């Protein structure tokens, strides 16, 4: 996500208590949408076996725990967040 944030002017990462969101609402719409697709594809492969959900919405890509597994998300964040953020 950080790599895409660096290369996509107007995008930013919003880290909330239980979600991680890449937001491109202020970026070029076409380029932001293309980057969002790349992030979505990459994250779905990197965390395919993890109990988290990756989805896209209006100008965002969001990663959050499935159900109410907040304890796991904290552990997941520490172990895998680096991989997600660096890409």
């Amino acid at each position: 996500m950080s790599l895409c944030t660096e290369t996509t002017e107007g995008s930013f990462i919003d880290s909330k208590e239980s979600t991680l969101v890449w937001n491109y609402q202020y970026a070029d719409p076409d380029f932001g949408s293309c980057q969002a697709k790349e992030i979505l594809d990459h994250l779905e492969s990197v965390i395919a076996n993890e109990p988290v959900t990756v989805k896209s919405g209006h100008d965002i890509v969001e990663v959050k725990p499935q159900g109410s597994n907040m304890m796991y998300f904290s552990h997941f964040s520490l172990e895998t967040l680096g991989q997600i953020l660096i890409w």
Side-chain angles (χ1 to χ4, degrees):
M1 289 178 137
S2 290
L3 179 61
C4 288
T5 302
E6 290 173 14
T7 59
T8 308
E9 187 175 331
S11 69
F12 59 94
I13 298 171
D14 187 13
S15 180
K16 299 181 180 182
E17 185 176 322
S18 63
T19 62
L20 187 61
V21 178
W22 184 72
N23 188 313
Y24 60 99
Q25 68 185 18
Y26 303 117
D28 175 86
D30 293 330
F31 188 66
S33 181
C34 182
Q35 291 288 79
K37 173 76 171 119
E38 286 190 32
I39 289 174
L40 192 62
D41 290 345
H42 177 73
L43 291 179
E44 286 177 341
S45 67
V46 169
I47 58 177
N49 297 321
E50 304 290 344
V52 296
T53 302
V54 179
K55 64 181 181 178
S56 62
H58 184 69
D59 297 338
I60 66 164
V61 174
E62 178 183 69
V63 180
K64 68 179 184 176
Q66 291 177 350
S68 59
N69 199 347
M70 297 294 290
M71 287 291 279
Y72 180 81
F73 192 70
S74 296
H75 175 71
F76 163 81
S77 294
L78 294 175
E79 302 247 335
T80 311
L81 192 57
Q83 290 180 12
I84 293 171
L85 284 174
I86 289 170
W87 195 90

